[in-house]
């Protein structure tokens, strides 16, 4: 009888210990949050399909990782005029997904062909699409990627994914980047849009 009671107590203590360890692991794992982002290369067929939508320029990216409950991913477009920050457009945050498994996001631009020559900006987030129009009289523009490989997000540090630069002059720096930072030479653009993602607190 004593052996049976001792054996039962041993099993109970072992189970309690394992449950406690599992709880600690559960609490610790979200602190190891890792969110990665990388360019998504479209197939020939996907490129052909996009060309039928009227969207003239667009880049896609893949997100992977899991957020903690008190974390957030923000997607937005920063507007610069003559190299200086002016405003932030299409900012989306809160109530979005917390788990990303090859989730696609995108930034695209399309000419509205209206009299004011405004551009339609498209912000594709995992849960939908946000759009806005922006007045534009630029005669020359460039559209380029600002990352060329998989990157890991750092909390409260924005990663810039795509740049659109415009000017009314005859020459323009391409704005190509590699490390997710604002490219050099943006002061040469009279108008610029930068698509960014930011991992931050909710």
């Amino acid at each position: 009888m004593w052996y049976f009671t001792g054996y039962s107590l041993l099993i109970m203590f072992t189970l309690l210990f394992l449950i406690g360890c599992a709880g600690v692991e559960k609490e610790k794992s979200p602190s190891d949050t890792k969110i990665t982002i990388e360019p998504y290369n479209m197939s020939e067929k996907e490129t052909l399909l996009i060309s039928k939508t009227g969207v003239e320029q667009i880049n896609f990216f893949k997100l992977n990782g899991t957020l903690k409950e008190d974390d957030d991913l923000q997607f937005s477009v920063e507007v610069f005029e003559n190299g200086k920050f002016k405003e932030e457009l299409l900012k989306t945050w809160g109530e979005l997904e917390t788990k990303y498994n090859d989730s696609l996001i995108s930034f695209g631009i399309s000419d509205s062909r209206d009299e004011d020559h405004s551009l339609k900006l498209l912000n594709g987030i995992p849960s939908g699409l946000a759009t806005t129009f922006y007045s534009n009289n630029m005669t020359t523009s460039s559209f380029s990627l600002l990352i060329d490989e998989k990157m890991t997000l750092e909390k409260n540090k924005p990663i810039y994914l795509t740049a659109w630069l415009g000017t009314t002059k005859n020459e323009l720096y391409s704005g190509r980047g590699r490390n997710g930072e604002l490219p050099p030479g943006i002061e040469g653009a009279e108008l610029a849009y930068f698509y960014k993602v930011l991992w931050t607190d909710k």
Side-chain angles (χ1 to χ4, degrees):
M1 184 69 177
W2 184 87
Y3 289 112
F4 177 78
T5 305
Y7 186 69
S8 298
L9 288 173
L10 179 62
I11 290 175
M12 287 175 54
F13 283 125
T14 302
L15 286 173
L16 288 172
F17 176 78
L18 291 174
I19 290 170
C21 288
V24 169
E25 285 299 314
K26 189 173 181 181
E27 289 174 7
K28 288 173 72 175
S29 59
S31 66
D32 299 328
T33 299
K34 181 179 179 183
I35 304 290
T36 62
I37 190 163
E38 62 186 301
Y40 174 76
N41 297 315
M42 290 189 291
S43 67
E44 187 176 335
K45 187 172 183 179
E46 288 170 330
T47 303
L48 179 62
L49 289 171
I50 291 295
S51 72
K52 307 299 182 185
T53 66
V55 178
E56 296 164 356
Q57 302 170 104
I58 191 165
N59 285 325
F60 290 88
F61 305 88
K62 283 194 302 184
L63 275 173
N64 280 287
T66 302
L67 292 175
K68 294 189 296 183
E69 288 185 7
D70 56 350
D71 280 348
D72 192 17
L73 272 187
Q74 298 180 357
F75 306 91
S76 65
V77 178
E78 290 187 356
V79 182
F80 282 69
E81 289 187 356
N82 299 309
K84 295 182 179 179
F85 175 81
K86 181 183 179 185
E87 60 183 317
E88 195 170 18
L89 303 174
L90 299 173
K91 187 172 182 178
T92 58
W93 71 92
E95 303 305 321
L96 298 176
E97 289 83 352
T98 57
K99 293 184 179 180
Y100 302 95
N101 184 17
D102 286 342
S103 300
L104 288 178
I105 61 171
S106 64
F107 175 62
I109 291 184
S110 180
D111 191 336
S112 68
R113 311 199 189 284
D114 292 335
E115 290 182 5
D116 65 352
H117 302 290
S118 62
L119 292 175
K120 184 178 184 180
L121 309 182
L122 304 100
N123 178 6
I125 57 177
S127 58
L129 177 69
T131 64
T132 191
F133 290 89
Y134 202 93
S135 181
N136 163 60
N137 63 348
M138 302 297 108
T139 54
T140 302
S141 66
S142 70
F143 187 75
S144 53
L145 283 169
L146 297 179
I147 64 172
D148 60 2
E149 60 184 3
K150 181 185 289 188
M151 296 189 68
T152 300
L153 273 68
E154 296 179 31
K155 200 162 191 181
N156 299 316
K157 180 182 178 182
I159 288 185
Y160 294 91
L161 304 174
T162 298
W164 182 95
L165 306 179
T167 186
T168 56
K169 301 172 185 175
N170 293 328
E171 55 185 44
L172 177 68
Y173 179 74
S174 68
R176 175 83 182 177
R178 300 182 61 188
N179 57 3
E181 297 179 355
L182 290 174
I186 63 173
E187 61 278 354
E190 294 166 67
L191 179 63
Y193 307 119
F194 296 100
Y195 179 50
K196 76 171 186 182
V197 59
L198 176 65
W199 171 28
T200 185
D201 292 325
K202 187 171 290 187

